[in-house]
């Protein structure tokens, strides 16, 4: 019997596979399906601070609160539009998920201000979340902002939030930082117990018929795992935080690769949307079979054995790999032309 047990954010997991934030983790019914299929833990959809504020402003305007003169009346009216409060919806989802599930429930938050992050983080924690995932997805379009100022702002938000809650905190990052290892270390010092690699940046498209900018979302493929694969390998052992692998996990072989480079846990959303919640069973059983075929006794024996500090040629993950990739592609192209 292969020991798949793992620990993440201080939580005991039956195995390292987690259902990450997405449509399937936003409803109790599908959360129960994921648990039945073997998900070791679940991450609920992100509470976006700006959405919560926008919904409350609309509710306030619709109720005519901007014309009320007395604070007592305003509080009463605010209570009457509580159903439109997105933050309360996420708090209730945490409560309902904790009541229904036996696996750990991780709440997710995407904030824009220190006050908003700490306020919502405290509310989600109080609702019973076992841990918090801070999603720092942000597109910086202001030309006056610098990379250093952005990093400082994120560090401040993480530090303030981690100090406000008693549950473990993870930080879900995008890959677009100039010096990711150094920033990762600073995040760990600021209070990040785990780093989730990586957030997906959905790119807009253009409708040529109506000349409109359109949202665009495509499910990932296994090819998308190569970016977090490299960075997980490089960060393993070089940062005092656990590493959660997120992006491009579709097959059991993808799970094995993520663990080989040092992932503490492996997260997936697109594969579950494409194949349904029962695909979690396929991934878990496939991992177990791979380990058994190669006579591993536990997943911990596998984890990190191909990270940068565990292989003879660490340059394989750095510039040497870039050069070899180009040369290999050129050789393949030349051979195809002969």
């Amino acid at each position: 019997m292969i020991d798949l047990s793992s620990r993440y954010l201080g939580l005991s997991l039956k195995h390292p596979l987690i259902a990450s934030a997405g449509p399937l983790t936003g409803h109790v019914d599908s959360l129960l399906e994921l648990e039945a299929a073997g998900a070791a833990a679940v991450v609920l959809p992100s509470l976006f601070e700006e959405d919560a504020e926008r919904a409350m402003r609309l509710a306030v305007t619709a109720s005519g609160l901007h014309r009320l003169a007395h604070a007592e009346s305003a509080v009463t009216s605010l209570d009457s539009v509580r159903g439109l409060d997105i933050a309360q919806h996420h708090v209730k989802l945490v409560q309902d998920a904790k009541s229904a599930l036996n696996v750990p429930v991780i709440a997710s938050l995407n904030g824009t201000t220190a006050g908003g992050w700490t306020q919502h983080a405290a509310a989600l924690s109080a609702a019973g979340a076992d841990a918090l995932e801070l999603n720092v997805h942000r597109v910086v379009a202001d030309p006056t902002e610098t990379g250093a100022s952005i990093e400082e702002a994120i560090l401040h938000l993480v530090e303030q939030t981690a100090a406000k809650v008693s549950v473990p905190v993870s930080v879900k990052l995008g890959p677009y930082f100039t010096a990711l290892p150094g920033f990762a270390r600073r995040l760990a010092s600021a209070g990040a117990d785990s780093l989730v690699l990586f957030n997906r940046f959905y790119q807009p498209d253009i409708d040529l018929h109506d000349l409109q900018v359109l949202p665009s979302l495509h499910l990932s493929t296994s090819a998308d795992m190569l970016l977090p694969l490299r960075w997980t390998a490089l960060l393993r052992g070089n940062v005092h935080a656990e590493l959660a692998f997120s992006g491009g996990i579709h097959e059991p072989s993808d799970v094995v690769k993520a663990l080989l480079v040092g992932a503490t846990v492996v997260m997936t959303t697109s594969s579950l949307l494409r194949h349904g919640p029962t695909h979690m069973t396929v991934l878990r059983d496939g991992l177990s079979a791979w380990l058994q075929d190669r006579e591993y006794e536990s997943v911990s024996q596998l984890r990190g054995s191909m990270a940068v500090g565990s292989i003879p040629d660490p340059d394989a993950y750095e510039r040497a790999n870039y050069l070899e990739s180009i040369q290999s592609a050129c050789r393949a192209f030349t051979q195809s032309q002969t």
Side-chain angles (χ1 to χ4, degrees):
M1 185 73 175
I2 304 298
D3 181 10
L4 298 180
S5 62
S6 302
R7 287 189 65 80
Y8 177 61
L9 296 174
L11 305 168
S12 296
L13 306 182
K14 293 181 179 180
H15 56 80
L17 282 158
I18 294 177
S20 47
L24 288 174
T25 65
H27 306 278
V28 173
D29 288 348
S30 49
L31 283 168
L32 286 169
E33 291 183 61
L34 288 166
E35 181 181 49
V42 296
V43 183
L44 304 184
S46 286
L47 163 57
F48 285 83
E49 182 186 345
E50 60 266 42
D51 279 352
E53 291 180 349
R54 187 183 304 115
M56 182 54 72
R57 286 197 301 270
L58 290 173
V60 168
T61 302
S63 303
L65 296 184
H66 60 296
R67 290 189 292 270
L68 294 178
H70 301 290
E72 184 177 351
S73 298
V75 171
T76 302
S77 298
L78 275 173
D79 288 340
S80 70
V81 297
R82 187 63 70 181
L84 296 176
D85 189 340
I86 290 178
Q88 286 300 312
H89 167 78
H90 282 265
V91 166
K92 187 175 187 305
L93 179 59
V94 171
Q95 295 169 336
D96 292 346
K98 283 298 297 178
S99 296
L101 304 178
N102 293 312
V103 296
V105 174
I106 302 171
S108 178
L109 170 64
N110 184 299
T112 55
T113 65
W117 275 52
T118 55
Q119 174 189 348
H120 295 307
L124 294 169
S125 175
D130 295 296
L132 290 176
E133 182 178 280
L134 307 183
N135 183 337
V136 296
H137 179 287
R138 182 187 172 202
V139 176
V140 181
D142 184 349
T144 65
E145 289 193 89
T146 66
S149 67
I150 293 164
E151 290 186 8
E152 289 301 326
I154 292 173
L155 289 166
H156 178 68
L157 291 171
V158 171
E159 187 174 33
Q160 293 290 100
T161 305
K164 187 72 173 182
V165 299
S166 58
V167 297
V169 170
S170 67
V171 178
K172 191 170 188 177
L173 291 170
Y176 305 116
F177 291 91
T178 302
L180 183 58
F183 184 49
R185 283 191 172 187
R186 296 179 71 195
L187 284 167
S189 297
D193 299 293
S194 162
L195 302 177
V196 182
L197 311 174
F198 287 111
N199 209 328
R200 288 189 71 197
F201 282 79
Y202 300 112
Q203 312 297 341
D205 199 354
I206 293 179
D207 182 338
L208 293 178
H209 182 269
D210 296 325
L211 295 182
Q212 292 182 344
V213 178
L214 300 176
S216 176
L217 189 156
H218 301 281
L219 297 181
S220 72
T221 69
S222 293
D224 292 302
M225 76 171 298
L226 297 181
L227 182 62
L229 185 97
R230 164 181 274 182
W231 280 111
T232 302
L234 289 170
L235 292 178
R236 168 78 176 189
N238 288 314
V239 58
H240 295 299
E242 296 172 325
L243 302 175
F245 193 108
S246 178
I249 299 296
H250 288 265
E251 304 297 334
S253 58
D254 300 333
V255 178
V256 173
K257 291 176 184 178
L259 293 167
L260 278 169
V261 295
T264 308
V265 292
V266 181
M267 298 183 170
T268 184
T269 293
S270 288
S271 73
L272 301 176
L273 292 175
R274 182 171 282 128
H275 302 292
T278 56
H279 192 61
M280 183 65 76
T281 306
V282 174
L283 296 176
R284 181 199 61 198
D285 292 350
L287 168 63
S288 182
W290 192 95
L291 292 169
Q292 185 169 354
D293 287 347
R294 288 153 183 82
E295 299 184 350
Y296 282 90
E297 295 181 358
S298 68
V299 73
S300 61
Q301 285 182 288
L302 175 78
R303 187 179 285 115
S305 57
M306 290 197 69
V308 70
S310 302
I311 59 175
D313 181 19
D315 283 350
Y317 289 116
E318 301 179 36
R319 184 168 177 82
N321 179 264
Y322 175 77
L323 179 60
E324 176 59 29
S325 297
I326 293 175
Q327 292 173 341
S328 177
C330 289
R331 286 193 296 269
F333 177 78
T334 301
Q335 292 170 3
S336 70
Q337 301 302 303
T338 58

